Amino acid sequence: MKISDLSAFLELRVLSGDPCREYDGVYSGDFLSRAMSRVKADNLWITIMNNPNVIAVASLTDAAAVILAEGVTLLPDAQNAAGKKDVCVLTSPLSAYELCVRIHELQKSHAGV
Amino acid sequence: MAENVVFHFDIDGEDFSSAGGASVTVKKKLRQLGIDSEQIRRVAIAMYEGEINMVIHASGGTADVIVSDHEITIVLADHGPGIPDVSLAMQEGYSTARDHIRSLGFGAGMGLPNMKKYTDSMKIETELGRGTTITMTVNIT
Ligand SMILES: Nc1ncnc2c1ncn2[C@@H]1O[C@H](COP(=O)(O)OP(=O)(O)OP(=O)(O)O)[C@@H](O)[C@H]1O
Ligand SMILES: [Mg+2]
């Protein structure tokens, strides 16, 4: 599925980059050194961290996109870095838990058709 | 590859927000050299963790990456405080990071364990008050 296919259901707003990429798998967590080893290429990474280091980790792991939960937006430095490194970042008012549940539901119904 | 390819970086210890930049550059270069993506991933993880540690714990240092035809060697050298107890520092979850560092998302105590896990060899030379040099290799298969 494309990230943009999730937009309405997850109440996503694009902060940076192109949400047309396909994603595969999800990681949720805020500690950078855990994310570094757990986020796989093409994953969605759900976090509430919004500093430039998040962008470096997303870029190094080749995450399809970062979804900032609970309405968090990027700090100015991070917004700059995301633009430069071409990292796709979105924000949602939902919690990390709700985001995971909804992504799971969408995937199930997608696989069913 | 006939000759080794070498990259050198000075890692700024003041600049938190651009920390990780050297690792991002190395990842790009390795891609251009046609290195396998799984090996690039392992180098990126190990180098990023080491680079960040130099910024957070040692106020900066240098990073050298040497690509030969059979392995990638990463040498991270700093003149920081040194690591008093290496086996303790290597334990998952052990961290001396302060609160303001933790609030940035660091301090899980997973950096050194990740460096060990994702490389084929890792050597730590450290002296209190003098600094730390970490040498890691990733085999090219
Ligand atoms: N280059 C270094 N110089 C001095 N001390 C270091 C250095 N690298 C690591 N340490 C010490 O080893 C501890 C463990 O390092 P490690 O990278 O595993 O965790 P961390 O940096 O505290 O947290 P994380 O990497 O998960 O964000 C650090 O908290 C620090 O005390
Ligand atoms: Mg660390």
Side-chain angles (χ1 to χ4, degrees):
Chain A
M1 258 197 293
K2 280 185 187 167
I3 302 156
S4 51
D5 295 335
L6 300 170
S7 288
F9 204 49
L10 302 187
E11 301 171 40
L12 297 176
R13 180 163 68 83
V14 178
L15 299 177
S16 177
D18 175 12
C20 284
R21 186 164 156 190
E22 298 273 336
Y23 78 89
D24 179 18
V26 180
Y27 176 79
S28 174
D30 302 318
F31 268 123
L32 297 170
S33 60
R34 288 199 169 265
M36 193 65 213
S37 87
R38 288 303 200 102
V39 176
K40 301 278 153 58
D42 300 323
N43 274 184
L44 296 176
W45 174 23
I46 300 170
T47 180
I48 49 162
M49 301 305 293
N50 61 349
N51 61 59
N53 303 294
V54 171
I55 305 303
V57 171
S59 165
L60 283 166
T61 54
D62 246 333
V66 180
I67 300 181
L68 300 176
E70 300 180 32
V72 169
T73 55
L74 288 171
L75 295 172
D77 282 10
Q79 184 75 48
N80 267 334
K84 264 191 218 144
K85 296 201 177 95
D86 206 19
V87 173
C88 180
V89 185
L90 307 100
T91 180
S92 166
L94 303 178
S95 70
Y97 170 71
E98 272 177 298
L99 286 166
C100 291
V101 169
R102 290 199 189 186
I103 292 168
H104 179 69
E105 282 172 358
L106 260 185
Q107 263 163 359
K108 261 200 329 207
S109 66
H110 203 74
V113 288
Chain B
M1 230 174 294
E3 265 177 62
N4 292 353
V5 181
V6 183
F7 306 107
H8 174 85
F9 303 89
D10 293 311
I11 311 295
D12 187 347
E14 309 292 304
D15 191 359
F16 267 84
S17 63
S18 69
S23 307
V24 173
T25 304
V26 165
K27 187 184 170 185
K28 266 189 222 139
K29 302 275 189 198
L30 294 180
R31 236 189 224 155
Q32 286 163 10
L33 290 172
I35 306 288
D36 175 75
S37 65
E38 185 52 30
Q39 273 133 24
I40 296 178
R41 178 178 136 78
R42 293 168 61 206
V43 169
I45 292 172
M47 182 168 169
Y48 175 77
E49 295 290 3
E51 188 183 348
I52 293 294
N53 277 354
M54 291 199 297
V55 175
I56 291 180
H57 306 297
S59 46
T62 59
D64 290 275
V65 179
I66 303 121
V67 186
S68 77
D69 55 5
H70 65 284
E71 66 184 8
I72 300 165
T73 307
I74 307 154
V75 184
L76 304 163
D78 67 58
H79 297 289
I83 304 174
D85 184 340
V86 172
S87 62
L88 184 62
M90 286 299 298
Q91 283 177 20
E92 291 191 5
Y94 177 80
S95 174
T96 59
R98 309 265 183 82
D99 282 352
H100 69 283
I101 303 284
R102 284 174 195 266
S103 70
L104 294 171
F106 301 111
M110 290 301 290
L112 288 171
N114 278 348
M115 289 156 75
K116 172 97 187 150
K117 179 176 169 193
Y118 288 100
T119 55
D120 291 302
S121 78
M122 174 175 171
K123 185 176 74 182
I124 303 181
E125 295 157 287
T126 185
E127 201 181 326
L128 286 186
R130 295 225 155 215
T132 302
T133 300
I134 300 183
T135 307
M136 299 176 283
T137 62
V138 170
N139 296 340
I140 298 177
T141 45

